[in-house]
Amino acid sequence: MNPKNSLNRGFKGFPYAAKPCSADEIGQYGWNLYGDDLPYPMAVIKEAELEHNLRWMQAFAKERNIFIAPHGKTTMSPQLFRRQLEMGAWGMTFATVFQINAGLEAGAKRIIIANQVVNDADLDSLAYLLEADRELHVWFLVDSLAQVDQIESWAQRRAKKLRFDCLLEVGIEGQRTGCRTFDQAIELAGCIRSSASLALGGIECYEGGLAHCQSEHDRHEVGVLMARVEEITKACDRLGFFEGDQIILSAGGSAVFDLVVPGLRLSLSKPVAGVLRSGCYITHDHDFYSKMLHNVEQREGLKASLLPALEVWAMVQSVPEPGLAILSCGKRDISYDLSLPIVTHYAAKGRREKVPAPADWAISALNDQHAYLRFAPGPLAPRVGDRIIMGISHPCTTFDKWTWMPVVDAAGTVVSAITTRF
Amino acid sequence: MNPKNSLNRGFKGFPYAAKPCSADEIGQYGWNLYGDDLPYPMAVIKEAELEHNLRWMQAFAKERNIFIAPHGKTTMSPQLFRRQLEMGAWGMTFATVFQINAGLEAGAKRIIIANQVVNDADLDSLAYLLEADRELHVWFLVDSLAQVDQIESWAQRRAKKLRFDCLLEVGIEGQRTGCRTFDQAIELAGCIRSSASLALGGIECYEGGLAHCQSEHDRHEVGVLMARVEEITKACDRLGFFEGDQIILSAGGSAVFDLVVPGLRLSLSKPVAGVLRSGCYITHDHDFYSKMLHNVEQREGLKASLLPALEVWAMVQSVPEPGLAILSCGKRDISYDLSLPIVTHYAAKGRREKVPAPADWAISALNDQHAYLRFAPGPLAPRVGDRIIMGISHPCTTFDKWTWMPVVDAAGTVVSAITTRF
């Protein structure tokens, strides 16, 4: 058993007196959130919503004849990766060479590193992996001649004959990485074609930075990007720059992934594998992605889509003055990068049920280990011992604050657990 | 050997091909930052500056006849705790019952939980620890009658005879936890005195939220707080509310800790242990605490004080347009809560030395895994393969993004390592 899957008191929130157990065995304890069997804060995943999201996204892709390689950086959890792969994911996406390790643990064999790999240590590690497992396929992004030079310099200094599979990244003016112009992209693709260290497997872009949560704007901007991707892809195909039996076309964050779908189904000289890389869909959220998905629903004519599956429970530890409650939950426990946590429900001290929180209960600030809950003073005030349930904005920055999370059923009973590899 | 001390490729940034080793043995590899032997990003601790800070803070306290119980939440690193304890720390401070585990690993026997403990699972865990080790002393904070009720309810339901040591927290209007008034504090102390589950060991406050980095303001505000602490402490002493052989008086974040020192040396009916809890001093930083310590130096008439000992190295992975470089370092790797990272130096591609970064190089944004470095376009522009060295603001939120960090000498050679327990 992987020691990282064996939960014990070294995992934040695992009770000291409980015997260590594997993530799969945790249900034996019969722990329940409403019973205060676990300390606070506790980030929890809701099983029914998780399963729904896994099925929903797989069906979304399948119906549109494309694949998914979910971005593993979101959860970094082998247990969740395994469920994504079992549900039919084509592969996994990661942001760094280090992160691949967690994908391998889950048995992933097709991996996209949606990022430039440029440094010696990462190239060493990647070569080590590829030489150790001939069934493993890894594609990383290339977006500059300078990066190609780095890789060729590495290959020369290490005397390596290896050819790395790569995708050429098409970028967006003013945004992150990727070639800005058609000419840059074609020159780079030609350079990759003639490189002894790289093989061009397809074209990649990331449209997420264009999303303003306004369908008219987002549709136009993503349309312009995907038209550029098409133009570059067709030229590379015509010029014979793609190697291998298929051409990979990949895009897709978690905000406006529906808009890239048509651009992933081009007709080219070889079979095309269109690959969406959305990661946040797996637990979704209560704010940023929630708003984005409302637009996806409208654009696709859907009545519903993803469900928020991750929440954080905290306890009121002090109500030091009227209108202010302090919660046992801070920057170490919950996302605060896109917005502060959203108070959705509370379970009064000793009660085995939750109710919607009053609309005026809001988190106004976080310290490292505390949250400030402001409320209108009155009879319906939080009390010491009440459990406050918070939704999040941006799953990535809550997952990375936990080494494990319990998975709970609708009654708050812990039925399983996941572990993470940040 | 604790498996968490055995570094291997499951630790972010540990090269895949390297044999697993203990944190102590890592020097055998001869890795050097300038040699690109480790991937980027990499958070590193500078050994000379670390040792300086450990000595400086211990001497600061010793000269003033007070103790330190450094806040372990900052680093959560048993290796660093051991150095703090060996340097003479009276004990360790933590924010949660979970965090104690890392202190025990380092051999701490006196632990302050600078926080309210209120929930069943935490009380269970704490009782479990105290029953397992009779030499362990743990004090936690109490600030309300409602909290005392929670603890007595737990004791009754568990049929526990245990008495928990506690400190009464004096708070500040509009800020975090703690009693707001003299009357509240005295009523609470009396209630603790008559509780079968609690024993009052002293008084605690946290002055850090008062610091505006203006000495006149800060001195006045902290003075008012410490006068209230004195008044409450003396009344509790007179009323016989303190139990045990000594009275603990504790305060001290990392911003204006000099200002609380006089208030920790009261003359009472029993010996007084004045305990500073500063945590960030161990690595200090390049911005927030750096500015705060300039004021400490001025107030104390010191020529120098703490040195920044933690920095993050990233590599330029793309320069996609004039004025913009993208670095391999994001929200998962470096603090962004008090300010964005500060570019201090760079080491040009292939060069084994660093030079100060041009003043116009600045981080403008972070994504999960990327940093945006803006610069004035011109001949002195960052290139793909350059190493960018960033200072931080707020050590706590960089430490919690790493499971280990190499410790390096002035030449960038990895001489040892620390591991963390978040």
Side-chain angles (χ1 to χ4, degrees), chain A residues 276-292:
Chain A
L276 271 189
R277 302 190 309 274
S278 317
C280 293
Y281 81 88
I282 189 163
T283 63
H284 199 47
D285 74 6
H286 298 74
D287 187 19
F288 184 81
Y289 289 106
S290 181
K291 289 169 184 158
M292 292 289 182

Side-chain angles (χ1 to χ4, degrees), chain B residues 111-408:
Chain B
I111 288 171
I112 295 175
I113 301 178
N115 216 343
Q116 284 69 35
V117 176
V118 284
N119 74 69
D120 285 359
D122 276 331
L123 292 163
D124 287 339
S125 285
L126 189 53
Y128 177 86
L129 287 186
L130 293 168
E131 286 167 356
D133 182 355
R134 297 291 173 179
E135 288 176 27
L136 175 65
H137 294 272
V138 178
W139 294 262
F140 62 75
L141 306 188
V142 174
D143 77 343
S144 72
L145 300 174
Q147 184 194 354
V148 175
D149 283 348
Q150 286 273 119
I151 293 161
E152 294 195 331
S153 160
W154 169 86
Q156 198 166 21
R157 283 180 286 118
R158 299 290 195 266
K160 283 278 186 195
K161 297 281 181 233
L162 192 73
R163 290 186 84 194
F164 292 110
D165 291 313
C166 68
L167 307 177
L168 184 144
E169 184 171 33
V170 176
I172 301 160
E173 196 68 33
Q175 296 217 359
R176 207 159 64 190
T177 46
C179 295
R180 279 4 188 194
T181 69
F182 177 87
D183 290 347
Q184 277 174 1
I186 299 304
E187 183 188 8
L188 177 59
C191 169
I192 294 170
R193 183 67 189 85
S194 59
S195 165
S197 304
L198 290 166
L200 188 62
I203 305 288
E204 185 270 0
C205 71
Y206 172 63
E207 80 294 341
L210 297 169
H212 286 190
C213 207
Q214 293 174 309
S215 274
E216 200 173 336
H217 168 276
D218 296 352
R219 193 192 299 272
H220 173 75
E221 293 291 326
V222 176
V224 170
L225 170 65
M226 297 312 288
R228 291 177 51 228
V229 167
E230 179 172 351
E231 191 188 5
I232 291 166
T233 303
K234 288 187 169 166
C236 288
D237 190 27
R238 214 161 45 234
L239 292 163
F241 288 160
F242 293 120
E243 303 195 41
D245 300 334
Q246 64 176 356
I247 297 167
I248 294 172
L249 294 178
S250 178
S254 300
V256 289
F257 52 86
D258 57 309
L259 297 175
V260 304
V261 170
L264 302 182
R265 293 184 302 206
L266 304 182
S267 286
L268 302 171
S269 68
K270 301 178 190 182
V272 168
V275 183
L276 271 188
R277 303 191 309 274
S278 317
C280 293
Y281 81 88
I282 190 163
T283 62
H284 199 49
D285 74 7
H286 297 73
D287 186 20
F288 184 82
Y289 289 106
S290 181
K291 289 168 183 159
M292 291 290 181
L293 264 286
H294 286 306
N295 282 1
V296 174
E297 290 167 13
Q298 287 184 343
R299 288 191 296 261
E300 298 281 312
L302 306 169
K303 284 197 180 137
S305 59
L306 299 169
L307 302 172
L310 171 57
E311 58 191 25
V312 179
W313 289 50
M315 184 173 268
V316 177
Q317 66 181 78
S318 181
V319 186
E321 56 192 67
L324 174 64
I326 303 295
L327 314 183
S328 59
C329 176
K331 293 178 188 171
R332 254 75 185 274
D333 310 303
I334 194 163
S335 308
Y336 57 91
D337 57 323
L338 300 188
S339 74
L340 287 171
I342 301 103
V343 178
T344 66
H345 294 81
Y346 76 105
K349 173 181 166 177
R351 296 294 295 271
R352 294 189 76 96
E353 61 176 0
K354 64 178 180 182
V355 295
D360 60 279
W361 291 19
I363 304 297
S364 65
L366 294 176
N367 292 159
D368 286 355
Q369 313 277 165
H370 299 86
Y372 294 70
L373 171 63
R374 303 279 174 181
F375 58 93
L380 192 56
R383 295 171 311 158
V384 171
D386 285 352
R387 284 74 50 94
I388 306 295
I389 303 169
M390 289 174 284
I392 59 151
S393 193
H394 196 189
C396 302
T397 47
T398 293
F399 270 102
D400 64 15
K401 294 170 174 57
W402 294 87
T403 51
W404 77 295
M405 290 183 191
V407 178
V408 299

Side-chain angles (χ1 to χ4, degrees), chain A residues 9 16 73 97-98 101 115-116 143 174 176 180 317-318 321 331-332 337 367 370 394 396 400, chain B residues 9 16 73 97-98 101 115-116 143 174 176 180 317-318 321 331-332 337 367 370 396 400:
Chain A
R9 74 193 220 194
Y16 279 38
K73 69 155 182 172
V97 172
F98 161 69
N101 203 41
N115 217 345
Q116 282 69 36
D143 77 342
R176 206 158 67 190
R180 279 4 187 194
Q317 66 182 79
S318 182
E321 56 191 66
K331 293 178 191 172
R332 254 77 184 274
D337 57 323
N367 292 159
H370 300 86
H394 196 188
C396 302
D400 64 16
Chain B
R9 75 190 219 194
Y16 280 36
K73 69 156 181 170
V97 173
F98 161 70
N101 202 45
N115 216 343
Q116 284 69 35
D143 77 343
R176 207 159 64 190
R180 279 4 188 194
Q317 66 181 78
S318 181
E321 56 192 67
K331 293 178 188 171
R332 254 75 185 274
D337 57 323
N367 292 159
H370 299 86
C396 302
D400 64 15

Side-chain angles (χ1 to χ4, degrees), chain A residues 218-250:
Chain A
D218 297 353
R219 193 193 299 270
H220 174 75
E221 292 292 324
V222 176
V224 171
L225 170 64
M226 296 313 287
R228 289 178 52 230
V229 167
E230 179 172 349
E231 191 189 3
I232 290 165
T233 303
K234 288 186 169 168
C236 287
D237 189 29
R238 215 164 39 234
L239 292 162
F241 289 161
F242 294 120
E243 303 195 40
D245 299 335
Q246 63 175 358
I247 296 167
I248 294 173
L249 294 179
S250 178

